[in-house]
Amino acid sequence: MNTKFVFGLANESDDGELRAVIRQISMGGSISIAFCREPSFFLAEKTGCIKNNTLVCRESDTGKIIGVGSRSLRRVYINGTEKILWYLSMLRLLPEARNSMTLIRGYKYLRSLSSDSDESYSFTTILDDNVRAKKVLESGRAGLPDYTRIGTLVTYLIPLRAKRNIRLIRSDIVRCDKSMAVSACECLDKWNRCYNLAPIYTFDDITGQSGLLPNFSLNNLYAYVNSGRVLGTLGIWDQQPFKQSIITSYSQGMRIVRPVYNIWSHINNLPILPKIGEKINILYAPLLSVTNNNHSLFEQLLDRAINDW
C-alpha cells in the first residue's frame, strides 16, 4: 500500500492552502480555466448546501495538501419527492498525486465517513472537456465507485452588451420584495419538483436568512405577478465575490484566433476573451420557474434581467 499520502478532513486553518492548491489546477481544453475560491474556500463550498465536508490528501511526512475533494449535503427533488443527497465536487490533485491508487484510497476514506444522506448514492458533474477525469472515474476499476451517466447538463452563455436595443417589457414583471416572497417560493417549488436533482429552496433561503445563497438579494429575483400571485421567477446571482473563473491558458489555435476575435467582438459590442490571468466576468441566472411552461413569459423574464444588467 502507498503510505506516502494520508487522508483526512480539512478545517478552517487549511483555508489558505486549499485556495493555493486549486489555483494551481486548471480544467483543460482550448480555453483552460481555474475555478478559484477567494477569499474563502469554505464560504464557497458551503454555498447551496446544508452541510459540507472537505477531504484532503496530504504528504505524510510534510503535511502538505496535494489533493482536495468536497462532498456537500443538498436538498433536492427525486421523482417529485424531497431527498437529501451528497454532491461530490472539487476533485483536484496535484501532479505528484495523480494515480489510480490515490483515488482508490481517497474514495475508501470517503466511504468510511458517516452519511446523513437519504440514499446509498451520491451525484456529481464532470465537465465534458475533462476527458481524463471521465475516463478514470467511469472506468469501473476495482476500488473506484460505480459512476452511471444520467444525463447532460447544458449551460448557455448570454452576452450582456454595453448598448442594447431595449425591448418593451411588460409592467407585471417586477423585482421581488418580501411581500411576494412566499408566493415566489411556492412557484419555484412547484417548478423544481418536476425535475430530478433540482434544488429545494425555502422562504428563508431566498430572503437571505439561512445563508444558503450568499450574496443573493431578494431584490434580484424577478417575478411575474398576476392577481397578486407570482407565476414566474428568474434570479440574478453574482457569485464572483467568492467564486472566480480565471483564464490560465489558451491552446495554440486560440492564441492565434483571440486577437482577431477580440477586434471583431469590440466592433460588434460583444464580450472579449480575457487575458491569461484575468477572470471571466459572469453572472448566474438560477431560481427559474415558469407556470405552465410558458416560453413567452420566460423570454420576458430573461429580457427584463438582461436589460437591467
Side-chain angles (χ1 to χ4, degrees):
M1 179 179 290
N2 183 358
T3 58
K4 183 179 178 181
F5 304 126
V6 294
F7 297 86
L9 293 179
N11 55 53
E12 295 288 343
S13 65
D14 296 315
D15 195 285
E17 194 172 357
L18 290 168
R19 287 183 281 116
V21 168
I22 62 174
R23 278 198 302 269
Q24 297 176 59
I25 301 172
S26 301
M27 298 296 102
S30 56
I31 303 176
S32 295
I33 300 173
F35 298 105
C36 296
R37 301 291 184 259
E38 304 290 344
S40 168
F41 178 91
F42 288 102
L43 170 63
E45 286 307 290
K46 290 174 182 175
T47 300
C49 64
I50 55 179
K51 182 179 179 179
N52 171 264
N53 296 144
T54 297
L55 287 68
V56 290
C57 176
R58 301 179 189 270
E59 291 181 340
S60 55
D61 53 349
T62 66
K64 175 187 173 184
I65 296 175
I66 49 82
V68 180
S70 179
R71 70 170 192 168
S72 304
L73 204 59
R74 303 197 173 201
R75 297 172 64 238
V76 299
Y77 281 117
I78 299 291
N79 297 329
T81 302
E82 179 179 339
K83 297 289 185 179
I84 297 178
L85 302 179
W86 287 109
Y87 174 64
L88 306 182
S89 63
M90 195 52 68
L91 179 59
R92 303 287 190 273
L93 292 171
L94 293 178
E96 58 265 37
R98 289 177 188 169
N99 60 71
S100 297
M101 186 54 65
T102 304
L103 278 175
I104 290 170
R105 290 186 60 207
Y107 278 107
K108 182 179 179 180
Y109 176 78
L110 178 65
R111 285 192 289 267
S112 73
L113 299 176
S114 61
S115 177
D116 301 309
S117 172
D118 288 341
E119 304 292 340
S120 58
Y121 60 88
S122 304
F123 69 104
T124 192
T125 53
I126 304 174
L127 286 176
D128 202 43
D129 280 351
N130 197 348
V131 177
R132 186 177 185 277
K134 289 194 294 183
K135 183 178 179 180
V136 173
L137 294 177
E138 296 176 1
S139 67
R141 182 168 179 172
L144 291 176
D146 294 325
Y147 273 79
T148 302
R149 182 186 295 271
I150 60 172
T152 300
L153 181 67
V154 180
T155 300
Y156 293 93
L157 296 178
I158 301 173
L160 299 182
R161 306 181 184 188
K163 299 176 183 177
R164 290 177 49 86
N165 295 322
I166 303 299
R167 293 176 59 176
L168 182 63
I169 305 298
R170 52 199 298 170
S171 60
D172 46 12
I173 292 179
V174 298
R175 286 178 179 257
C176 202
D177 60 34
K178 210 158 186 177
S179 68
M180 307 173 196
V182 170
S183 184
C185 202
E186 290 173 351
C187 182
L188 185 60
D189 191 68
K190 183 178 179 181
W191 173 272
N192 281 350
R193 193 178 290 270
C194 299
Y195 298 93
N196 284 337
L197 298 177
I200 297 171
Y201 296 120
T202 67
F203 174 88
D204 287 347
D205 296 334
I206 69 171
T207 56
Q209 298 178 63
S210 68
L212 191 81
L213 306 173
N215 207 49
F216 178 76
S217 167
L218 181 62
N219 185 245
N220 290 336
L221 180 64
Y222 293 86
Y224 164 59
V225 183
N226 184 276
S227 300
R229 291 182 58 218
V230 174
L231 300 179
T233 63
L234 178 69
I236 298 296
W237 189 9
D238 183 5
Q239 298 184 12
Q240 290 184 112
F242 52 90
K243 288 184 178 182
Q244 304 84 30
S245 300
I246 308 295
I247 301 291
T248 57
S249 68
Y250 289 104
S251 67
Q252 183 176 358
M254 286 300 298
R255 287 198 300 271
I256 295 171
V257 168
R258 179 177 166 270
V260 178
Y261 171 82
N262 281 351
I263 292 171
W264 179 85
S265 295
H266 181 74
I267 293 172
N268 289 277
N269 196 27
L270 292 170
I272 64 172
L273 291 172
K275 298 177 182 177
I276 292 175
E278 292 183 345
K279 69 178 181 180
I280 302 172
N281 288 318
I282 191 167
L283 297 167
Y284 294 87
L287 283 75
L288 165 69
S289 61
V290 183
T291 299
N292 298 326
N293 248 342
N294 188 325
H295 291 183
S296 175
L297 175 57
F298 167 68
E299 290 178 2
Q300 288 283 331
L301 284 162
L302 194 58
D303 279 340
R304 171 65 195 272
I306 290 173
N307 286 342
D308 284 359
W309 290 86

